[in-house]
Amino acid sequence: MNDYSSLPHRLNGRSIFRVLFSALTLAVGLVLAAGGLRLITLGGSSYYALAGVAYVILAFLYLKRHPAALHLTIAIFGATVIWALFDTPEFGFWALLPRLVVPALMFGLGLWASATLEAVPAKLRSASFWGGAATAGALILTLISAFFPHGSIYEPGNLSAQTPLALDKIDAPGNWAMFGRNANGTRFAPFNDINLENVSDLQVAWTYRTGRRTTGDGIGVDENTPLQIGNILYSCTPENMVTALDADTGKALWKFDPHAHSAEHVTCRGVGYYDVDADTRLTPSQKAALPDGICRQRLLISTVDARLIAIDAATGKPCADFGKGGTVDLAPGMGPVEQGKRYHPTSVPVLMGHVAVVGGWVRDIVHGEPSGAVRAYDALTGKLAWVWDVGSPDNAVAAQQNPQFSLETPNVWTVPTYDRDLNLVYLPTGAGPPDYWGGDRNQAKEKFGAAIVAVDASTGRTRWVYQTVHHDVWDYDVPSQPVLYDVTNDKGLKVPALIQTTKTGNIFVLDRRTGKPVTRVVERAVTNNPAAEGDRLSPTQPFSVGMPIIGNDRLSERKMWGVSTFDQLYCRIMFKDSVYTGAFTPPGEKPYIEYPSLLGGMNWGGVSIDETRDLMFVNDMRVPLRMMLVNEKNAGKYKISMDEVPGFMGTLRPQVAGPYRGVRIDVLQSPLAVPCNTPPFGTMTAIDLKTKKIVWQVPLGTVRDTGPMGIKTHLPIPLGMPTLGGPTATASGLVFFAGTQDNYLRALDSLTGKEVWKARLPAGAPAAPLIYRSPRTGRQYVVISVGGMSHAADVGDYIIAYALPQKGLAAR
């Protein structure tokens, strides 16, 4: 029989190994005992303290070479396994990982240490050695398993009978002429050249470097989806530099730089396109009266320093007949904009015939912030057509010579949607500033904040309002473009609907004629006490239960996560040391948890709908925040920051309201900078719009380009990372997406969620893909703007186009 008394390291001696293991066990025990005791005082689990004490005893038993060490080693791990199975609220790989990996490692090392104890019978020493080896093997298999997706949902039974609608039955324009491709915002590419059979052959067709700034302050984030008009693409950089590109080669045809700069929220998601000759709202005589050739096709650019600029789509030169030399100043009447620092558009001018609607981002910090008024301008002349100002519901200010709009009103920083048939424009609003305290909000803020507002496209007058959050003190702005799509109601009748995703994870489906819910919405009681000093909260909030609610599961101590036992313990302590009463936890001076957080849920990327299959695709993020209102007395204890998300984490963001001077915002995360909730942290979900149920949901993104403490792991572990940007669906059954925290553009099978192709990018890409077919060559392209995720180390200035090889096209 073999003698394992000197294993595992015969060269170093059994005593050295045993002493080192005893020291490690003692350290583990002391940390768990101390943290566990703290958790018990907060009313949390007693496991960690008990395990800590057991490990301390075990350390001394090994130092004493006592044979009982083997029995205690087995007992600790056995008890841990039983506890882990009962403690885990949802059985799964990621949930069990922090509960069992460190104990399993200690168990394996303990078995090897037992093999060095002379007092243990030889047979048991042999068994201990092989048990330790088996445990090591299991840990290696666990590591390998981490490289495969976990937590996916696949419910094919929720998929309605699929007979894809023929493309000739869909009203699909040939150009990508709007932010969401078409006027309805469905972001659906009606092409099938690139399909499940050949998508793996995609390769880079061309790359263009925009020349945007990539260093220094205020470089912003590239969130641009270019427009495609015929054989020309129109792109914009965060500082609104516009370039016309040949759609087949990526060669720059012209470039226009407005020299726009701002200190905050620097981005350009796209430009507006207007064609005089295609405008059916103009009479032939009106068209004939306009100059031939000059600016008959024009681009409208809303800049980060609060200007609206019109340029010739053919040359990039300013349109002299628009405003003053091609420019309209958006600042007059809006209040203290500070050259765009406190107000500027972050969205896309939306064309309604020859009228362009322009919203704007407002810094939500103090009373007296700029107005959230939405304005419409004549795309030909730049003259103000109307104003939606909730402080002047009859639009009386629009007729004034020098109008002054109501300050600090709910704003519209994302993309509106225009319904030509109903002549309505739908405005998704934020709350009137300040964000996190509303004790003195007026009636207009209470009515129009965090709502979808239907406005008459000819007059700017409100037709209906539907509020998604009452008395919003969580920064739950309605973040994405409303999508217009016909949906069946509970009686089986097709209804012209509006679909709105939200930061709360709710998806509202409304009759766009009336604003009434098409799918069931209930008002549920939520905790509204204690409110912050001087504030009051709504006793109920709307929950869209007729549609899936995504990423809105209630947190609990047992759902806290970590890479290891230690940071899971830390997260459990942080959770128990915070105020959390579920969704809509009231803000206050004690640390409270906001989940879903102001980051989302769903954010500005919106959805995509496969119009041939009635499938909707939506990405989300799941990152809880730990927040705290700070009064004037305590504000001096913190560093003040005006940085953008997530740069202000850990600092005090100014919020001057009532008795408060700021809000402390941190990610609820471990010392390793890993979120405390159980993965995934971001997913893509497919919803059948006939059954209103989830067909599949998959974690999206790996930790290859990020990791603990922000250090790149270079490991393609598909944890499921927070997502931004939006998806684009095609008629061939593919969904393209790039807005993950790793640097990839992906294609998913639209019926299963399976990843069927991915391409490595030089940086992250929080933008929606553009997909088009060249009218000159017939070649289909997938284009993505690659500028880097917010605050990521990798920053770029790329626009990259992918296509099938030319020989593949010829064989089609």
Side-chain angles (χ1 to χ4, degrees):
M1 180 177 293
N2 293 325
D3 180 10
Y4 298 101
S5 62
S6 60
L7 290 171
H9 299 298
R10 186 182 301 274
L11 181 63
N12 294 328
R14 60 188 183 183
S15 60
I16 294 177
F17 174 75
R18 188 169 56 250
V19 169
L20 290 176
F21 175 69
S22 298
L24 174 64
T25 305
L26 179 62
V28 169
L30 291 174
V31 171
L32 292 182
L37 181 60
R38 170 64 175 154
L39 183 59
I40 289 174
T41 63
L42 295 170
S45 171
S46 60
Y47 162 78
Y48 298 91
L50 294 174
V53 172
Y55 278 124
V56 170
I57 295 171
L58 184 65
F60 284 103
L61 288 176
Y62 275 112
L63 283 175
K64 294 291 187 180
R65 305 182 184 183
H66 198 289
L70 173 59
H71 304 295
L72 185 56
T73 296
I74 297 171
I76 292 174
F77 186 64
T80 296
V81 170
I82 295 171
W83 166 81
L85 294 176
F86 281 95
D87 185 68
T88 306
E90 296 177 4
F91 187 86
F93 179 84
W94 294 120
L96 289 172
L97 186 79
R99 291 173 167 87
L100 292 178
V101 167
V102 169
L105 178 64
M106 299 300 294
F107 176 63
L109 293 174
L111 291 178
W112 277 339
S114 296
T116 70
L117 297 175
E118 295 86 348
V120 173
K123 288 184 178 181
L124 287 182
R125 292 201 303 271
S126 176
S128 295
F129 169 74
W130 291 113
T135 304
L139 288 170
I140 292 172
L141 290 176
T142 300
L143 176 62
I144 294 172
S145 182
F147 288 85
F148 294 87
H150 298 278
S152 297
I153 297 172
Y154 181 48
E155 298 288 350
N158 292 339
L159 186 68
S160 58
Q162 286 291 311
T163 304
L165 192 66
L167 290 179
D168 59 4
K169 302 294 185 181
I170 297 175
D171 182 16
N175 294 328
W176 190 298
M178 299 180 180
F179 175 73
R181 190 178 191 276
N182 53 28
N184 292 336
T186 57
R187 206 181 286 130
F188 170 66
F191 311 120
N192 52 23
D193 309 62
I194 301 170
N195 51 54
L196 286 166
E197 286 70 35
N198 61 25
V199 66
S200 60
D201 296 328
L202 280 179
Q203 61 186 29
V204 174
W206 53 260
T207 300
Y208 175 72
R209 304 293 295 271
T210 67
R212 62 165 286 213
R213 282 196 310 122
T214 57
T215 60
D217 296 332
I219 62 171
V221 182
D222 189 349
E223 299 172 338
N224 166 60
T225 298
L227 298 186
Q228 172 259 326
I229 309 296
N231 222 59
I232 300 177
L233 307 186
Y234 298 102
S235 75
C236 64
T237 67
E239 293 182 302
N240 307 112
M241 182 167 60
V242 179
T243 306
L245 303 173
D246 184 284
D248 282 301
T249 66
K251 178 182 177 181
L253 305 176
W254 55 254
K255 184 179 292 187
F256 172 78
D257 189 350
H259 302 287
H261 306 287
S262 183
E264 291 187 66
H265 217 97
V266 180
T267 190
C268 179
R269 296 187 180 122
V271 298
Y273 176 78
Y274 175 68
D275 185 346
V276 169
D277 298 316
D279 187 354
T280 58
R281 295 294 180 95
L282 293 179
T283 65
S285 60
Q286 287 176 311
K287 294 180 182 180
L290 298 171
D292 288 333
I294 301 176
C295 284
R296 292 187 76 85
Q297 291 78 38
R298 60 184 63 191
L299 303 177
L300 295 182
I301 311 153
S302 51
T303 68
V304 295
D305 57 358
R307 290 177 285 162
L308 182 63
I309 302 173
I311 61 175
D312 192 317
T315 66
K317 297 184 181 298
C319 299
D321 57 353
F322 184 86
K324 293 183 179 179
T327 300
V328 169
D329 187 356
L330 296 176
M334 296 299 285
V337 300
E338 293 186 27
Q339 296 182 324
K341 182 179 180 180
R342 294 173 68 175
Y343 161 84
H344 63 255
T346 55
S347 185
V348 181
V350 174
L351 274 299
M352 308 181 301
H354 61 281
V355 174
V357 176
V358 181
W361 166 87
V362 174
R363 190 183 70 175
D364 298 327
I365 291 179
V366 299
H367 288 303
E369 294 283 20
S371 176
V374 175
R375 290 166 289 178
Y377 293 89
D378 190 305
L380 294 170
T381 66
K383 291 182 179 178
L384 186 66
W386 52 257
V387 180
W388 180 75
D389 178 2
V390 297
S392 179
D394 293 327
N395 294 332
V397 294
Q400 297 175 8
Q401 184 71 23
N402 296 301
Q404 295 296 314
F405 311 123
S406 305
L407 299 182
E408 60 174 274
T409 50
N411 60 321
V412 178
W413 58 261
T414 193
V415 185
T417 305
Y418 171 56
D419 186 331
R420 176 175 173 173
D421 293 338
L422 296 177
N423 196 38
L424 294 176
V425 59
Y426 303 100
L427 308 178
T429 71
D435 272 333
Y436 306 103
W437 186 87
D440 57 4
R441 286 183 183 168
N442 59 29
Q443 185 177 1
K445 289 185 185 181
E446 296 289 20
K447 179 179 179 179
F448 292 101
I452 304 110
V453 184
V455 169
D456 188 294
S458 299
T459 66
R461 293 185 177 176
T462 300
R463 294 279 291 273
W464 56 257
V465 183
Y466 187 86
Q467 193 166 61
T468 65
V469 177
H470 307 319
H471 192 74
D472 177 19
V473 287
W474 301 272
D475 197 13
Y476 284 156
D477 299 349
V478 180
S480 59
Q481 180 182 25
V483 175
L484 311 185
Y485 195 72
D486 292 350
V487 174
T488 53
N489 61 17
D490 55 2
K491 298 179 181 178
L493 301 176
K494 281 274 189 178
V495 176
L498 178 151
I499 302 172
Q500 182 66 65
T501 58
T502 66
K503 292 182 179 181
T504 64
N506 286 275
I507 302 172
F508 293 92
V509 182
L510 310 176
D511 187 323
R512 60 182 186 260
R513 299 166 299 186
T514 64
K516 303 296 183 183
V518 174
T519 55
R520 186 166 174 252
V521 176
V522 298
E523 287 282 336
R524 286 180 178 167
V526 294
T527 302
N528 63 352
N529 187 52
E533 182 181 345
D535 206 348
R536 79 281 183 195
L537 298 175
S538 172
T540 65
Q541 293 290 348
F543 288 81
S544 182
V545 297
M547 289 288 287
I549 300 177
I550 298 175
N552 197 4
D553 294 339
R554 186 183 178 95
L555 299 178
S556 68
E557 181 205 335
R558 294 166 61 194
K559 289 186 178 181
M560 292 298 98
W561 193 74
V563 176
S564 70
T565 302
F566 309 109
D567 50 325
Q568 184 181 47
L569 171 58
Y570 176 89
C571 285
R572 293 176 86 136
I573 291 171
M574 292 294 286
F575 179 83
K576 296 297 290 185
D577 198 31
S578 306
V579 176
Y580 178 71
T581 57
F584 303 100
T585 294
E589 295 180 38
K590 294 181 179 179
Y592 65 94
I593 294 172
E594 182 178 287
Y595 184 78
S597 73
L598 59 91
L599 305 175
M602 286 75 86
N603 210 294
W604 62 266
V607 307
S608 178
I609 297 177
D610 182 339
E611 298 184 32
T612 67
R613 297 173 176 84
D614 282 334
L615 282 176
M616 182 172 74
F617 308 98
V618 56
N619 58 289
D620 73 300
M621 67 174 76
R622 305 176 186 189
V623 180
L625 298 180
R626 191 171 188 258
M627 304 173 63
M628 178 175 65
L629 295 177
V630 180
N631 59 30
E632 185 173 9
K633 177 182 177 181
N634 295 319
K637 299 177 182 179
Y638 303 98
K639 176 186 176 182
I640 303 293
S641 173
M642 291 299 299
D643 207 347
E644 291 298 312
V645 175
F648 61 58
M649 301 302 174
T651 65
L652 187 70
R653 188 162 179 84
Q655 192 73 187
V656 183
Y660 302 106
R661 293 299 174 265
V663 57
R664 176 75 184 263
I665 304 177
D666 297 275
V667 175
L668 181 62
Q669 61 185 9
S670 75
L672 297 178
V674 176
C676 283
N677 53 311
T678 303
F681 307 131
T683 71
M684 180 72 74
T685 302
I687 299 171
D688 190 304
L689 290 175
K690 293 176 182 175
T691 65
K692 316 298 190 302
K693 295 180 179 179
I694 291 176
V695 176
W696 54 259
Q697 184 177 91
V698 295
L700 212 57
T702 71
V703 297
R704 174 169 180 169
D705 296 297
T706 185
M709 306 300 293
I711 300 170
K712 291 186 178 184
T713 67
H714 302 285
L715 299 175
I717 298 174
L719 200 64
M721 303 301 287
T723 68
L724 277 174
T728 301
T730 73
S732 61
L734 294 171
V735 182
F736 288 88
F737 185 75
T740 56
Q741 300 298 313
D742 57 357
N743 304 342
Y744 286 101
L745 171 64
R746 290 176 168 85
L748 308 178
D749 184 326
S750 66
L751 293 181
T752 66
K754 179 183 177 182
E755 181 182 290
V756 293
W757 172 82
K758 67 179 178 182
R760 183 72 173 158
L761 302 174
L770 158 70
I771 300 177
Y772 63 94
R773 179 186 287 157
S774 166
R776 183 168 62 205
T777 65
R779 197 178 188 193
Q780 184 180 331
Y781 295 90
V782 180
V783 174
I784 189 71
S785 294
V786 183
M789 302 301 288
S790 179
H791 289 267
D794 297 325
V795 181
D797 67 338
Y798 305 87
I799 298 176
I800 303 176
Y802 295 86
L804 295 174
Q806 292 284 10
K807 61 179 181 180
L809 181 68
R812 178 172 54 88

